[in-house]
Amino acid sequence: MRYDLKKRVCAGEVSPAASSKRGTCTLKHIFIINPSAGKNDSRQRIYTMAEALREKHGLDVQCMLTASVGHAATLARGLAESGEEVRLYACGGDGTVNEVANGIAGYANAAMTCIPIGTGNDFLKNFGADYEKFLDAENLWNGETQALDLIDCSGRYCLTIACSGIDARIAESVHKFSANPHLSGRGSYLVSVAANGIFGRIGRLEDDFALVSMCNGRYYGGGSTPVPEARMNDGVLHTVLVKNISKLRFARLFPDYSAGNHEKLPKDVVRFSTAKVVRIHSDDGDIVTCLDGECSHSHDVTLRLADKKLNFFGPAGCDPNATAR
């Protein structure tokens, strides 16, 4: 769906006002909006924001609504494959950001940013104090582009943290708890930790590990930071491996794992690596893998570095490593 900024109605075709070129500028600014993101409908705020860019700066602006899971990736990939210069604004939560990134990764003519309207918005926490600037497209549209690393997970990309095992099951059940209006994104995650870590079953990966997390960024689960040193553009991925231990011991270790207190974690249980390729296999059941909050099931997972794969733009001077330790 595309939104006609002049008529203020939704239509299935590109509006004349949106599709026409203005002056000699051919750069397109496309807002990909997830209408289901967050607890409130933010569509009108995004429409108004997009129209302000058109009126104030004469930009070629379009708004597109997603209709289902995966639709944002399809839209983004179609725009990137057109060969035109495009700047995409992922309007939603971490799942929408992940989909848009998957759609344009590796395309030199496409760059993305994001406007947070989801519940967790962990990706933008990597930018520290500049988080608030991402709320307004006026701070974004002319920002410089920088290349970010990605994690390639068996052909699908992840921006921040790819986790498999108990943490992925926690993330998978977060969506159930996040429907509760009394719980924040972080609150939903902690309730899910209790349900999975204390009352649930901890699985096994290759009969050795209960949890494998590969980190390009620093935040997930509403604010957990297992590797505060992780940087999103240094060509290094940090992997945390937690041995298959009792549920009670896992519950005791979780606070320090979540806070990135490596020195407090027992070395016989928790190991850290900077391997560029990690392979996970299970003979006795599905491996649940979570990429930026979106989960999938498989028996084999291969994680590897995708160096400088994504073009990203944001507020002037923004730093994806602003909060790195």
Side-chain angles (χ1 to χ4, degrees), residues 80-101:
E81 289 177 344
S82 73
E84 295 185 283
E85 296 290 329
V86 291
R87 285 198 157 197
L88 306 185
Y89 302 71
C91 305
D94 289 315
T96 307
V97 174
N98 176 275
E99 288 192 20
V100 173

Side-chain angles (χ1 to χ4, degrees), residues 38-68:
K39 299 184 183 297
N40 301 305
D41 190 339
S42 299
R43 279 176 289 182
Q44 190 55 56
R45 181 169 72 86
I46 301 300
Y47 295 153
T48 301
M49 195 182 301
E51 185 171 6
L53 291 189
R54 179 181 65 82
E55 293 180 345
K56 185 174 180 180
H57 304 290
L59 303 181
D60 188 339
V61 179
Q62 298 175 14
C63 289
M64 298 180 175
L65 295 178
T66 63
S68 60

